Amino acid sequence: MTRNGIGIRTAQLRPTRLKGQIHVYDGAGKGKSQAALGVVLRSIGNGINNSNNYNRVLLLRFLKGPERDYDEDGAIAALQRGFPHLIDQVRTGRAEFFDKHEITVFDTQEALRGWDVAKGAIASGLYSVVVLDEINPVLDLGLLKVDEVIKTLKSKPQDLEVIATGRGAPQELLDIADLHSEMKPQHHSAAELQGLEGIEIYTGSGKGKSTSALGKALKAIGRGINHPGSTRVLIMQWLKGGSGYTEDEAIAALQQSYPEVVDHQRCGGDAIVWRNSRQELDYIEAERGWEIAKTAIASGLYKTIILDELNPTVDLELLPVEPIVEALLRKPRHTEVIITGRCQNQPEYFELASVHSEVYCHKHYANHGVELKRGVDF
């Protein structure tokens, strides 16, 4: 059978890989550190019901010293309170931007301190995932020796996942990466002319769209925990009606700990949807999801609304575009709407985005026959 258009694989039972991969998220677009946070959420979900500590995650944040507050701080603190046995965080560097001409001894020492932590964590066997957040600009600034970092990563334990983020990834790192997603910013004059804010779109063929949206949701959850009732979050997911997603378990645990902050809804069947295999249930489920989302957008009750995989749902013509445009134009100014998913034809609502990252796939292990991994990819 010929498969036309966008196809989405949902949470079917599937084989999963054991070997860890090296992921690189770079580019000038938004979503790199958010994607790493999304993997952290999935990894925690995978470890909640396991008695061993192997699903532990290290989040090592370069160039993000404690003197400055970041959006993700609250989310990470909430995860650490809820799952202290599953996540460690280390922050290094000063809390301000600088270029190669402004490097101080402190910057070099902090980069080396962070790398000492990274080397020990990679060698320890204690972690299933090590996130090296903003290591790419550290390497680009010359604060660490690229060849030493490459040597350590090439000799990592076989089952360890390593995620490197930030602009300016050196070619030597890209050469050994198993996955390389580049976030490229896209600009829409209509959004600027109309003064539209709070609509973000993540699309493209690369990995990191839904994962980045999960990271964005975590940031919003962190804000909501510190300010209950003022920053409620809705995660609405299309084409993912099945079970087996590791983020489900982590989100459910967060809902139990912080019921006033996060709502999570799914719609769709547990099957691949292709343009020439659409069934009546696909349309019914897509419309059910949109009714929930439309009400949430109009209500003003949510600070952040994630519309995960809405783009392919529209591209498959399971939903019309016009009602989505109308709902986004009428949304309360304080409500953020994040829309994800690949599509072959960009719908009209893309023109309303104040942030639009096109995620380009330069490398993906799945394209070389490597299976996806529970707790990392789904």
Side-chain angles (χ1 to χ4, degrees), residues 3 6-15 239-240 245 269-274 309 366 370-372 378:
R3 291 171 169 173
I6 299 293
I8 298 295
R9 169 183 270 189
T10 60
Q12 305 173 79
L13 290 176
R14 62 180 116 181
L239 304 174
K240 292 179 177 177
Y245 294 91
D270 189 16
I272 299 176
V273 178
W274 297 92
E309 302 294 359
V370 178
E371 295 290 350
L372 303 183
F378 66 96

Side-chain angles (χ1 to χ4, degrees), residues 18 110 130 221 250 291 328:
L18 297 177
E110 281 292 276
V130 171
I221 289 167
E291 288 299 318
L328 292 176

